[in-house]
Amino acid sequence: MDTRFPFVDWFRNSSPYINAHRGRTFVILIEGEAMARGRGEQLIQDLALLHTLGVRLVVVFGIRPQVEQALNEAGIEPRRHDGRWVADEAIMACVERVAAEQRLWLEARLSLGLPNTPLHGVELTAVSGNLVMAKPLGVREGVDYDHSGEVRRVRVSAVQGLLDRGSLVLLPPLGFSSTGEVFDLDAAEVAQHAAMALAADKLILLGEAAGLYDENGALQRQLTPAEAEPLLSQIEPGCEQARHIAAACAAARHGVARTHLLSWQDHDALLGELFTRDGVGTMITRHRYEQLRPAELGDIAGLLELLEPLERRGMLVPRSRERLEHEIDDYLVIERDGMIIGCAALHCFDETQMGELACVAIHVDYRGGARGSLLLSGIERRARRLGLGALFVLTTHTAHWFVEHGFRPSDIDSLPTLRRDTYNHARKSKILVKPLS
């Protein structure tokens, strides 16, 4: 049914994610360019919304463009090596001043609560402090990095205590040593280590790029660290995207469930990634967000929901819950973030060493990709493991697809006896067979 308010449907569909995110810990990096380009206000509103929905937030903020501007105004030309500047005393003075100014600006905006503002009525306490311990980079390849450092550790108990009290934790790209020194840190590295130390549910990196793209310019929705890391050889070392890929992959390998690469230039990116099934950027996760796997009894409700529209249109023979429960071991499913979006079954006829490929279905919102081929490949692998020599399929609507995938038209005499006896002549299904040799 159409609605006068399209956002209502979106809000209804987002409810599973609202429930899933409540009480979870997110580490979010906002690069300094976002603030420099005027995107800070919108992002702060989104952060406040997440806070009101019960998300535990650790926000890391970058300051590179602001520091570069301050250095230019002071007539200071920094020395750079491998994407990092050598932070001498003059540069550190700018870094510390800019970090303090940026932190104060963020705290002020997070305190905004006037009646005509989106943060009206939101009680949000933002806290920062000496929460990241650091050590100097030292001398590398003959270059003394002076006050440029790297993360030694994050004070987990202190951060957890602040989150437990309902505070939003702000982490600048600065670290402190046991000798009382302050070090300039890479903001992406701070976010990575914070997410790893806190065992965060998500690490979200907001940079200039909308995500990672393949050689054809298509946005990659999901990658494993092994798939993403080779991209580092194709981009400039030390650039923002290189730092984000490295941080995301490291976090994914060390227990952070999901890491996300998003663009601060997209006003809807943060909420769109968190409250829609497909998201808007690139997610890097150690385990596949969308996976092909054997069906389980817990999938019955999802299978019924997937199959019902196709059964109603006459494309599939209706299957009862009892039948699905009885045959569940025959099914493979494609699961996407907890939703069953595809399935196929293999029913074996051992006396003829044939198998029936049945109930091939893809959710209407996820057609047009290679999921049907993925299901067919999975069924073929299972059939070969079972020693079957051929697959057959009965179809009324999609014979051409099966022909394109190696099936050939046949007749009722090619079917196993049991299947021949139960053939529904009223449906006039076309019979196709594919040898597996």
Side-chain angles (χ1 to χ4, degrees):
M1 184 175 66
D2 292 335
T3 175
R4 290 180 299 139
F5 305 104
F7 84 91
V8 172
D9 281 337
W10 176 87
F11 192 56
R12 290 189 183 112
N13 292 330
S14 71
S15 60
Y17 298 97
I18 295 173
N19 291 327
H21 298 333
R22 186 177 294 113
R24 303 294 186 178
T25 300
F26 295 176
V27 176
I28 301 177
L29 166 65
I30 303 174
E31 288 288 2
E33 198 70 33
M35 304 301 180
R37 299 281 189 87
R39 283 286 290 115
E41 298 282 356
Q42 179 70 52
L43 286 170
I44 285 170
Q45 293 168 20
D46 291 348
L47 294 176
L49 175 59
L50 292 177
H51 176 79
T52 62
L53 294 174
V55 179
R56 295 154 58 93
L57 293 174
V58 176
V59 178
V60 182
F61 59 92
I63 56 173
R64 283 195 174 203
Q66 291 87 347
V67 171
E68 288 175 349
Q69 181 180 347
L71 293 175
N72 288 334
E73 291 173 353
I76 299 172
E77 181 66 31
R79 288 190 298 134
R80 298 178 184 275
H81 189 71
D82 281 347
R84 293 286 299 271
W85 50 50
V86 176
D88 58 21
E89 293 291 342
I91 290 175
M92 275 308 296
C94 287
V95 169
E96 292 173 11
R97 175 172 59 81
V98 170
E101 291 172 350
Q102 194 66 38
R103 178 179 61 81
L104 289 171
W105 185 86
L106 285 166
E107 290 176 354
R109 305 317 293 170
L110 287 166
S111 302
L112 189 63
L114 295 175
N116 61 341
T117 67
L119 272 67
H120 175 56
V122 177
E123 283 288 336
L124 206 165
T125 302
V127 180
S128 187
N130 59 337
L131 299 170
V132 177
M133 306 307 291
K135 60 183 178 180
L137 284 173
V139 180
R140 303 191 180 188
E141 298 179 359
V143 176
D144 186 347
Y145 279 88
D146 208 347
H147 288 278
S148 294
E150 58 186 347
V151 177
R152 181 187 293 275
R153 65 181 177 89
V154 176
R155 297 177 58 196
V156 177
S157 59
V159 176
Q160 291 282 22
L162 292 169
L163 294 174
D164 290 343
R165 289 194 289 274
S167 299
L168 181 151
V169 177
L170 285 174
L171 297 181
L174 297 176
F176 304 86
S177 74
S178 56
T179 59
E181 295 176 277
V182 183
F183 290 97
D184 172 54
L185 302 179
D186 173 38
E189 185 191 357
V190 173
Q192 170 202 321
H193 281 271
M196 288 162 44
L198 294 165
D201 298 281
K202 289 184 183 292
L203 168 61
I204 300 170
L205 305 170
L206 284 159
E208 192 163 359
L212 303 179
Y213 295 82
D214 64 16
E215 62 276 9
N216 298 316
L219 181 65
Q220 302 276 70
R221 293 294 189 183
Q222 179 194 357
L223 296 170
T224 63
E227 293 167 333
E229 283 171 334
L231 299 174
L232 289 170
S233 63
Q234 304 171 22
I235 54 181
E236 179 187 351
C239 71
E240 180 183 273
Q241 191 171 54
R243 295 184 293 107
H244 285 196
I245 293 173
C249 291
R253 290 188 189 280
H254 289 84
V256 179
R258 293 176 179 176
T259 65
H260 304 259
L261 304 180
L262 306 176
S263 174
W264 50 261
Q265 299 186 83
D266 180 353
H267 285 225
D268 301 326
L270 183 57
L271 299 183
E273 183 75 1
L274 293 174
F275 295 101
T276 63
R277 187 171 301 279
D278 296 325
V280 298
T282 297
M283 181 171 67
I284 298 176
T285 177
R286 192 170 180 178
H287 302 291
R288 276 287 182 184
Y289 172 70
E290 180 175 311
Q291 60 176 327
L292 175 71
R293 60 169 176 81
E296 303 168 352
L297 284 173
D299 299 322
I300 297 293
L303 284 169
L304 289 169
E305 186 175 351
L306 172 67
L307 300 177
E308 191 272 334
L310 299 174
E311 294 171 350
R312 192 171 62 247
R313 292 167 57 190
M315 297 178 69
L316 292 176
V317 175
R319 288 164 171 80
S320 66
R321 176 181 290 272
E322 292 73 20
R323 179 178 174 183
L324 287 173
E325 290 175 352
H326 179 70
E327 298 177 344
I328 194 66
D329 291 337
D330 292 352
Y331 281 78
L332 294 177
V333 296
I334 298 177
E335 178 190 2
R336 183 178 179 84
D337 198 24
M339 176 182 178
I340 303 302
I341 65 167
C343 71
L346 174 64
H347 305 314
C348 296
F349 296 83
D350 295 328
E351 72 279 7
T352 57
Q353 302 234 298
M354 295 184 76
E356 179 181 8
L357 172 62
C359 200
V360 180
I362 302 294
H363 191 283
V364 65
D365 292 341
Y366 296 95
R367 293 176 190 164
R371 294 181 178 90
S373 299
L374 179 67
L375 284 165
L376 176 57
S377 296
I379 291 293
E380 289 181 359
R381 286 194 299 271
R382 177 180 282 190
R384 290 189 176 96
R385 285 199 304 270
L386 295 171
L388 302 182
L391 288 177
F392 69 88
V393 64
L394 277 63
T395 181
T396 57
H397 287 67
T398 55
H400 66 285
W401 186 87
F402 291 104
V403 170
E404 290 170 357
H405 287 78
F407 286 78
R408 293 293 176 262
S410 189
D411 55 37
I412 193 170
D413 293 332
S414 64
L415 298 179
T417 303
L418 181 60
R419 193 66 183 89
R420 190 187 314 148
D421 293 343
T422 57
Y423 179 82
N424 186 342
H425 291 272
R427 280 181 61 85
K428 297 182 180 180
S429 300
K430 293 185 177 181
I431 300 167
L432 300 101
V433 177
K434 180 178 183 178
L436 295 177
S437 57

